[in-house]
Amino acid sequence: MSATFLYGQNEFVNGVRIHYLRYGGKGHPLILIPGITSPAITWEFVAERLGQVFDTYVLDVRGRGLSSSGPEHDYGTDVCAQDIVSFVQKLGLKEYSLMGHSMGARFAIRANELSNQGLTQLFLIDPPVSGPERRAYPSKLPWYVDSIQQAIQGMNSEDMKVFCPTWTEAQLQLRAEWLHTCYLPAIIQAFDDFHTYDIHQYISHIQVPTLLMVAGKGGVILPEDEQEIQQSNPNIQVKHVPQAGHMIPWDDLEGFFTVLGEYLGQKFN
């Protein structure tokens, strides 16, 4: 894998097995929560650079990757956020930061509400701002369902290019290899929660320094959404990656690390 990769491991927390990958091993602990159909391994190209600065833990959210899956489990926002809190407690982390992309950012917001003991900062990467009586999330459920069903049958990078035409060959290969591990009912529950779960009610309660990273070409967070969020919590700093769509590191990796580095006052090689 990468020079900063240490190992993969499993922990039993909140009644399920949570698998994670660890990078770096030194510095401030950072827990990374991927998006709706992104197993931990698909963030390897980002985590290897985060591991230069942070002691980085990338989680397989339940119902994805090598974490627990199946019909016996709940996949709602509340229980997935509790998984994060329980993971922190299981590892005995005294201080840590949370970075979440898309769905993972919503889980990070909810986790902060459940328990912010030891939490020092939040990095919210283009979270869906949809919810009850709000504008719908721009992606459509069939895009997820169709790609997962094809992955379950078997697909290669060329097949995946139909769904992700701008990605690199390596990114396409990883997604094609691992997408079948995304348990479809878990994905449907998460997508439904984008529209039925009000994550905005918790934004004003965030007290730690927070970066909201917005994709310039994503269409997920619009200027009026930024205005609403900053009115709700003036301590949240908004930064843009102009050339990126919603999958910011996939679309503009250097732009992602430029924004993150400027915010932190830290250079990533």
Side-chain angles (χ1 to χ4, degrees), residues 41 60 70 79 103 150-152 192 213 227 251:
I41 187 62
D60 273 330
V79 72
M103 176 196 75
Q150 187 172 346
I152 290 171
D192 287 346
M213 188 183 295
Q227 184 178 9
D251 293 336

Side-chain angles (χ1 to χ4, degrees), residues 83-181:
D83 288 348
I84 301 168
V85 173
S86 299
F87 180 80
V88 170
Q89 294 169 345
K90 184 67 176 288
L91 267 61
L93 300 178
K94 303 302 182 184
E95 290 189 342
Y96 68 99
S97 297
L98 280 181
M99 175 181 288
H101 172 244
S102 192
M103 176 196 75
R106 289 169 63 98
F107 290 173
I109 293 169
R110 183 67 177 111
N112 170 80
E113 182 75 13
L114 292 172
S115 175
N116 60 10
Q117 184 176 357
L119 181 63
T120 61
Q121 56 189 347
L122 283 171
F123 305 99
L124 307 176
I125 307 170
D126 219 46
V129 292
S130 46
E133 301 181 1
R134 291 180 176 273
R135 183 181 73 254
Y137 182 58
S139 294
K140 305 303 180 184
L141 184 59
W143 186 89
Y144 299 102
V145 173
D146 293 348
S147 59
I148 291 170
Q149 288 178 334
Q150 187 172 346
I152 290 171
Q153 294 176 345
M155 71 190 311
N156 56 35
S157 60
E158 193 63 29
D159 299 326
M160 184 57 71
K161 192 178 294 185
V162 174
F163 298 94
C164 307
T166 64
W167 289 18
T168 68
E169 181 66 17
Q171 291 165 353
L172 291 167
Q173 287 175 341
L174 267 183
R175 187 168 177 83
E177 179 183 2
W178 283 88
L179 186 60
H180 74 91
T181 68

Side-chain angles (χ1 to χ4, degrees), residues 136-265:
Y137 182 58
S139 294
K140 305 303 180 184
L141 184 59
W143 186 89
Y144 299 102
V145 173
D146 293 348
S147 59
I148 291 170
Q149 288 178 334
Q150 187 172 346
I152 290 171
Q153 294 176 345
M155 71 190 311
N156 56 35
S157 60
E158 193 63 29
D159 299 326
M160 184 57 71
K161 192 178 294 185
V162 174
F163 298 94
C164 307
T166 64
W167 289 18
T168 68
E169 181 66 17
Q171 291 165 353
L172 291 167
Q173 287 175 341
L174 267 183
R175 187 168 177 83
E177 179 183 2
W178 283 88
L179 186 60
H180 74 91
T181 68
C182 293
Y183 181 55
L184 191 53
I187 307 311
I188 294 173
Q189 175 67 66
F191 188 86
D192 287 346
D193 273 13
F194 286 174
H195 301 91
T196 61
Y197 192 98
D198 180 18
I199 202 66
H200 289 263
Q201 63 185 307
Y202 304 117
I203 291 175
S204 64
H205 301 172
I206 298 172
Q207 297 181 340
V208 298
T210 299
L211 169 66
L212 175 64
M213 188 183 295
V214 176
K217 296 182 177 180
V220 173
I221 301 176
L222 301 180
E224 55 264 36
D225 302 315
E226 297 176 27
Q227 184 178 9
E228 178 187 1
I229 289 169
Q230 290 194 295
Q231 286 177 345
S232 176
N233 193 328
N235 293 319
I236 295 177
Q237 292 192 42
V238 178
K239 303 290 184 182
H240 299 87
V241 185
Q243 301 306 315
H246 180 59
M247 302 296 285
I248 295 178
W250 282 258
D251 293 336
D252 187 357
L253 183 62
E254 297 310 316
F256 171 84
F257 276 108
T258 295
V259 168
L260 183 62
E262 289 175 351
Y263 174 77
L264 293 170

